Amino acid sequence: MASPRRYASQNVDISPLSRGLHFDFADREAPNRFLKGAMEERLCTWDPDNHEKSGIPDAAMFKLYEKWSDGAIGNILTGSIVFEHDQMTQRGDPMIPIEAPFSGDRFDAFATLARIGKSHGSLMIGQVNHPGRQIDESTQPHPISASDVPQAGFAGQKFAIPRPASKHDISRIMEGFAHSAAYLEKAGFDGIEIHAAHGYLLSQFLSPASNLRTDEYGGDLTNRARLIAEIAQATRHRTSQSFVLGIKLNSVDFQGDFDSGEAKQLCALIEQSSFDFIELSGGGLEHFEHKRESTRKREAFFLDFAESIAPLLDRTRIYTTGGFKTAGAMSILARNVEAAIKQAPSEDNYGITNIVAGTQIRRISQGLEPLDMSREYDEQSFMKEMNAWLGRLANDTRLYGFFHITPS
């Protein structure tokens, strides 16, 4: 079989990426500069008729994180962990219900996941999320958001018009994040990342386009970021000083929705809330595009913006994710590989590439090698199986996760 097509890479010294990265507020250190970004696994248990049996990591999830741990990545982020059974981003998401005790099958499963993820020295960070209005109406016909601003559907998903979150809702949201943080720490995780990007609930509060509130959670940036600051404070109160606190933010929020002075102001608010790191991402379901040719050449989708805000931060570290394909651009902790496989599907098609990534995750969780998506046959087999799977998924609430394919 022919070798897979790969991107061309420059011959560069990648040793700086092997240096440790210190997190100032928690006084912890990642063993190197690599971050495994948060990707939805959709591998936990799912039972639409029994919420107590849903969202529990099991053997497939453990196998996946065993493989990622083998890579000796400095900082491993999980996919989205949710805390309400009717507020899930996808079936099969990991879940820490607000009422979940620090014992039992669920807790033991999270503890096993933490132990496996850390087995080769990585930090293990749980990403916690609330979808807000960005949840399929079949799962939640009455979603909450900052305001009653609707969101357009995406890839067959339909989103109901949200209602503005009440003070009771906001208190429960804060409790959900804080309880998840305490739960994760007791289970052996090293930290938590608060998801405030990609159009999910905290991003909806941050953006003036979706936050039209006139109370203390709306208006100027300080008010729009208040919920994030309060979650950070509650998290610090419920966890030890050495527990790492991170946040995922959208670069496009700064560049589009925020005014020119708000980027600097938000950076100050982030440091005042003692966040150890910011993971910069971008876009949401409504706009996931990277059009600039300079961005394509540099591979890092959000590097320009990271460089612009780095001088504004003294103690909070910045991770940038998305787009990296070669050791040359990253200046990949290469094990005789200098570049990623150049896949046949267009990298501009977010919907397809997202499902490809999820399918690869599922294969790894089953102990299989990833598909070679540079091969035309594998691409054709994938597209055929994907369309059949999506049809079944839409009509059977017991199905979940990404599909399995075994091309010849």
Side-chain angles (χ1 to χ4, degrees):
M1 183 182 298
S3 298
R5 292 181 295 124
R6 298 186 181 273
Y7 291 89
S9 177
Q10 298 176 358
N11 184 18
V12 298
D13 177 18
I14 62 172
S15 61
L17 293 173
S18 66
R19 298 172 188 162
L21 182 64
H22 187 75
F23 298 122
D24 204 19
F25 293 106
D27 194 22
R28 297 288 300 276
E29 184 158 317
N32 56 59
R33 303 297 176 104
F34 286 93
L35 173 81
K36 196 289 288 179
M39 296 178 283
E40 283 187 328
E41 308 96 352
R42 306 185 193 180
L43 290 172
C44 292
T45 58
W46 167 250
D47 185 338
D49 301 320
N50 189 341
H51 306 311
E52 295 297 320
K53 298 293 185 181
S54 296
I56 302 174
D58 61 7
M61 193 83 154
F62 301 151
K63 184 69 176 180
L64 176 65
Y65 278 85
E66 180 182 0
K67 179 62 70 174
W68 278 331
S69 176
D70 286 346
I73 300 165
N75 194 346
I76 295 177
L77 297 179
T78 70
S80 288
I81 300 169
V82 297
F83 48 83
E84 303 276 22
H85 69 83
D86 58 351
Q87 304 285 351
M88 304 184 74
T89 56
Q90 296 290 343
R91 304 168 197 163
D93 284 346
M95 179 166 53
I96 302 174
I98 293 178
E99 301 80 12
F102 301 150
S103 62
D105 292 344
R106 185 185 303 273
F107 183 81
D108 291 346
F110 274 93
T112 298
L113 184 63
R115 176 179 54 79
I116 290 172
K118 297 166 59 171
S119 59
H120 291 278
S122 303
L123 295 182
M124 188 70 167
I125 309 292
Q127 184 194 80
V128 180
N129 187 24
H130 189 298
R133 67 180 184 175
Q134 199 162 272
I135 180 171
D136 194 281
E137 65 178 0
S138 64
T139 301
Q140 179 50 264
H142 306 291
I144 60 173
S145 183
S147 303
D148 57 356
V149 178
Q151 177 170 321
F154 174 81
Q157 286 186 296
K158 295 181 180 180
F159 306 118
I161 297 175
R163 62 174 177 81
S166 67
K167 296 298 176 61
H168 173 75
D169 293 326
I170 290 172
S171 294
R172 187 168 176 87
I173 290 163
M174 285 191 288
E175 173 62 19
F177 278 98
H179 172 75
S180 294
Y183 189 100
L184 289 167
E185 183 174 36
K186 289 184 181 297
F189 282 73
D190 298 295
I192 182 176
E193 181 187 69
I194 294 169
H195 198 336
H198 296 177
Y200 292 117
L201 181 66
L202 298 184
S203 178
Q204 294 159 29
F205 270 84
L206 271 180
S207 172
S210 51
N211 187 342
L212 308 181
R213 301 175 74 98
T214 57
D215 62 3
E216 67 268 35
Y217 293 98
D220 63 21
L221 179 62
T222 299
N223 282 354
R224 301 197 314 270
R226 185 179 304 278
L227 180 53
I228 290 173
E230 291 177 344
I231 289 171
Q233 183 180 27
T235 297
R236 286 297 189 199
H237 180 71
R238 300 273 282 274
T239 58
S240 67
Q241 182 273 333
S242 62
F243 194 65
V244 177
L245 177 60
I247 186 168
K248 186 169 190 169
L249 293 174
N250 262 5
S251 63
V252 293
D253 286 342
F254 289 92
Q255 297 162 310
D257 292 341
F258 294 0
D259 67 37
S260 58
E262 287 187 329
K264 184 174 182 179
Q265 185 184 355
L266 184 57
C267 287
L269 290 171
I270 292 297
E271 286 207 323
Q272 289 169 14
S273 296
S274 68
F275 280 96
D276 288 291
F277 70 86
I278 298 172
E279 179 198 358
L280 281 180
S281 187
L285 296 188
E286 295 174 313
H287 43 80
F288 246 116
E289 295 180 275
H290 310 288
K291 298 179 179 179
R292 293 170 55 187
E293 187 59 30
S294 61
T295 296
R296 296 177 185 277
K297 289 180 178 179
R298 298 184 76 182
E299 295 187 11
F301 292 153
F302 317 114
L303 188 57
D304 289 345
F305 182 67
E307 291 173 338
S308 71
I309 68 166
L312 306 176
L313 297 164
D314 294 323
R315 303 179 67 185
T316 300
R317 305 303 185 191
I318 297 177
Y319 283 108
T320 181
T321 58
F324 290 113
K325 303 178 184 71
T326 67
M330 295 170 71
S331 270
I332 292 174
L333 195 56
R335 293 182 176 179
N336 301 318
V337 174
E338 294 184 348
I341 291 173
K342 191 171 185 177
Q343 302 184 85
S346 170
E347 60 190 71
D348 293 327
N349 189 326
Y350 168 73
I352 296 298
T353 56
N354 182 54
I355 297 175
V356 169
T359 300
Q360 304 286 37
I361 285 173
R362 178 158 184 152
R363 286 181 61 82
I364 294 169
S365 77
Q366 296 171 325
L368 301 172
E369 288 295 314
L371 298 171
D372 179 359
M373 289 298 290
S374 69
R375 296 174 60 204
E376 182 179 355
Y377 179 83
D378 280 13
E379 181 193 20
Q380 292 174 350
S381 299
F382 171 86
M383 296 300 294
K384 180 180 178 180
E385 293 290 335
M386 180 192 72
N387 290 327
W389 171 253
L390 290 176
R392 295 195 301 272
L393 193 65
N395 296 305
D396 188 343
T397 60
R398 292 190 173 276
L399 291 178
Y400 67 98
F402 295 98
F403 66 90
H404 173 70
I405 177 174
T406 309
S408 59

